[in-house]
Amino acid sequence: MDNRAIGVFDSGLGGLTAVRQIRSILPSENIIYFGDTSRVPYGGRSREILLKYARQDVHFLRSFDIKAIVIACGTVSSNALTELQAENDLPMLGVVEPACRRAVKMTRNRRVGMIATAASVRSGAYAETIRRLDSGVEVISKACPLFVPLVENGRYQPGDIVVETVAREYLEPLKEAGIDVLILGCTHYPLLTDVIAEIMGPEVELIDTGAEAAWELKRTLKARDLLSEDREGQASFYASDRPDDFSTLASRFLRQDMPAVREVDIERY
Ligand code: DGL
């Protein structure tokens, strides 16, 4: 048993999709969340810059007494997981592998779609992981660079003509390709679930990377005897810019009143 907190980070709001699931399946755990809102979006950056940002994010989270880190960011998981794992002596979980495992399990026609940021698609991490798990599954990947700025600006509701137009343009080729599973390879994208599901139709299963990572976290903590005692877990939130805006959007998404979001000067880490 271990009552220390779990650190979770992303470039902004996206990682809250993992937080929501962690709180539902591991309600006794304390969570410390960091959203790097001063440098969002990460998805167009080079691997070198992503590694620099991710190291700072991890360094900040490790200024607390934490027992594990969830990289609730497809872009960092695709580009920097190996380095971060090698540099840190605590469980460090990414979102790519759990989502790919689920996709391989769910697909019936062995045609899997994957949407993510440009940096994630460029890394090839999702496609390579699926190929390693099952070389007979075909992966059709597509970068959707406008989704993250739309979500960060609160434009993710069905009926929003801007996000619906953008989504149709990105998703129609995947629909035509006949996929039956679509990995939402960026943790921001589950906020667009209703919009995406409407376009893809009920026959396409959507995979929420943050949610799959939360299940992986539960398995990891259990296997290492790191689960917390039975109690009500607390979450605290930090952002590197505009904490009030983060708080407004986060409370809408998590459907709860947020504790004050504190501002962090991430360049100090
Ligand atoms: N939510 C992150 C991801 O999963 C980052 C997106 C971004 O900042 O571009 O990729």
Side-chain angles (χ1 to χ4, degrees), residues 144-186:
C144 305
L146 293 176
F147 276 170
V148 170
L150 284 168
V151 168
E152 289 289 326
N153 283 284
R155 307 289 297 265
Y156 54 81
Q157 310 285 1
D160 183 314
I161 188 147
V162 176
V163 76
E164 284 185 345
T165 306
V166 170
R168 215 165 288 120
E169 180 169 324
Y170 284 147
L171 298 174
E172 251 146 33
L174 289 165
K175 194 172 159 71
E176 277 160 26
I179 57 166
D180 68 352
V181 168
L182 178 62
I183 300 177
L184 308 183
C186 167

Side-chain angles (χ1 to χ4, degrees), residues 119-152:
S120 295
V121 172
R122 206 168 39 232
S123 76
Y126 283 96
E128 276 163 29
T129 304
I130 290 183
R131 214 168 300 130
R132 173 164 53 74
L133 293 168
D134 185 340
S135 58
V137 173
E138 192 182 341
V139 186
I140 300 133
S141 306
K142 176 131 185 89
C144 305
L146 293 176
F147 276 170
V148 170
L150 284 168
V151 168
E152 289 289 326

Side-chain angles (χ1 to χ4, degrees), residues 10-11 14-15 40-44 72-76 117 120 148 185-188:
D10 181 37
S11 61
V40 66
Y42 278 9
C73 175
T75 307
V76 172
T117 65
S120 295
V148 170
C186 167
T187 52
H188 279 72

Side-chain angles (χ1 to χ4, degrees), residues 225-268:
D225 199 19
L226 290 175
L227 287 165
S228 290
E229 68 186 303
D230 195 12
R231 56 167 189 183
E232 195 185 332
Q234 306 296 323
S236 39
F237 297 87
Y238 296 82
S240 52
D241 197 15
R242 298 179 293 112
D244 295 345
D245 291 351
F246 180 89
S247 176
T248 306
L249 290 170
S251 59
R252 208 188 294 164
F253 172 67
L254 291 173
R255 292 195 193 90
Q256 63 161 62
D257 288 338
M258 294 281 294
V261 177
R262 273 163 280 188
E263 189 162 352
V264 182
D265 178 3
I266 195 64
E267 294 296 351
R268 281 184 36 232

